Amino acid sequence: MLNIRPELKTVIFFIVYFIIAAISEKVSPSGVCTPGPGAALLILSVPVSIIYALILLFRYYKSQNKQYLNSIYIIAGMWILFFLILSF
């Protein structure tokens, strides 16, 4: 089995997740009062990120592997960049 670093798994997961959200928004666009699947995936990305960070935190405390902690920092940094981009 492939041994992929947790940081790389985190980055790949979120890139694929947001690509799927963008594609599903193009396929079935959101309306004024009805969110499409892309908007729903974007809204669900917050709880998915929190759950993923909690899983990584559990794995970090279980193994003391600093790579899991770096993955949590990547998730936090990704959300900080996302909100900074949206604020401008």
Side-chain angles (χ1 to χ4, degrees):
M1 189 169 167
L2 291 171
N3 272 342
I4 301 175
R5 294 176 53 116
E7 297 98 338
L8 189 59
K9 286 181 189 177
T10 301
V11 171
I12 291 172
F13 172 76
F14 281 106
I15 287 173
V16 169
Y17 187 87
F18 287 116
I19 287 174
I20 290 172
I23 290 171
S24 60
E25 182 64 30
K26 292 291 182 185
V27 170
S28 176
S30 300
V32 176
C33 295
T34 56
L41 283 174
L42 188 62
I43 292 169
L44 285 175
S45 65
V46 174
V48 167
S49 297
I50 293 170
I51 292 169
Y52 191 56
L54 289 174
I55 291 170
L56 289 170
L57 189 65
F58 175 74
R59 288 183 180 173
Y60 170 70
Y61 283 124
K62 188 177 176 183
S63 68
Q64 293 298 319
N65 189 354
K66 191 166 176 154
Q67 293 175 347
Y68 294 120
L69 194 59
N70 291 338
S71 295
I72 295 171
Y73 292 149
I74 289 171
I75 293 172
M78 176 200 67
W79 280 108
I80 289 170
L81 285 174
F82 183 71
F83 286 120
L84 284 175
I85 290 170
L86 287 180
S87 67
F88 291 116

